Amino acid sequence: EEEEEEEKEAAAAGGDPSSCSQGESSQEETKRHNDTGEPWGNSENNGCKNGSSVPQCAGELRRWTRGCYTLVHDAQTTEFALDLLLFCGCEGWDVEWGGFTSYIAKDEDEELLTVNPENNCLALVYRDRDTLKFVKYINHRSVKQTATQTETTGFWDFCFVYYE
């Protein structure tokens, strides 16, 4: 309930909480196009035979603090993707604060997998077109982290996605 109120306050203030965590590569995740304006892998002139797509990789370093989250993107044009998540600076991070990556089935409410931020841990997740992901909203409880670690108010992750 408190998280929903915080999200509404952020939206009412005109802020876009998702922008604090998403770089260009996240925002462009489902909008990759070639020089002809067609989505990658859909062009007949992409040099591949039998309609296969060209593998691609996109990556970024993201900082996660209070108020950050991502949205579910359901317009994935590739059949399969491999997600790589490497977490840094999240010693003592509590799951109740949010910030975990959640994988869900398209058109269903059931959560398939949760990847919690653990310091210096690598997560590899292979997903298909019907598996979607998002990062849960980091709520106000995360500021409690500053009481024990004054220099840290969030965490970082390296996020890479390899598309087939």
Side-chain angles (χ1 to χ4, degrees), residues 32-46:
R32 302 190 196 297
H33 299 283
N34 61 18
D35 293 336
T36 64
E38 298 173 317
W40 284 106
N42 291 345
S43 174
E44 293 178 25
N45 300 322
N46 65 3

Side-chain angles (χ1 to χ4, degrees), residues 41-159:
N42 291 345
S43 174
E44 293 178 25
N45 300 322
N46 65 3
C48 294
K49 297 179 182 179
N50 300 329
S52 63
S53 62
V54 177
Q56 299 176 36
C57 185
E60 64 187 340
L61 173 63
R62 306 182 295 185
R63 174 145 171 77
W64 297 98
T65 58
R66 179 180 180 248
C68 293
Y69 63 92
T70 63
L71 301 174
V72 173
H73 297 283
D74 61 355
Q76 181 178 338
T77 59
T78 58
E79 188 66 28
F80 298 101
L82 176 66
D83 296 332
L84 177 147
L85 298 166
L86 176 63
F87 299 99
C88 303
C90 51
E91 299 91 354
W93 191 262
D94 192 335
V95 178
E96 291 182 11
W97 299 342
F100 54 85
T101 303
S102 182
Y103 290 86
I104 59 173
K106 191 174 190 176
D107 299 326
E108 293 187 25
D109 294 333
E110 184 179 338
E111 188 173 46
L112 303 173
L113 176 69
T114 301
V115 179
N116 293 314
E118 293 287 333
N119 195 48
N120 201 30
C121 285
L122 175 73
L124 294 172
V125 179
Y126 193 66
R127 58 188 166 99
D128 64 7
R129 181 187 310 254
D130 294 327
T131 304
L132 309 174
K133 70 174 183 171
F134 67 94
V135 176
K136 180 70 173 168
Y137 179 82
I138 298 178
N139 60 46
H140 70 282
R141 294 183 200 113
S142 66
V143 297
K144 293 180 183 177
Q145 184 181 21
T146 60
T148 58
Q149 300 172 349
T150 56
E151 72 281 352
T152 306
T153 59
F155 65 92
W156 296 81
D157 74 359
F158 290 93
C159 176

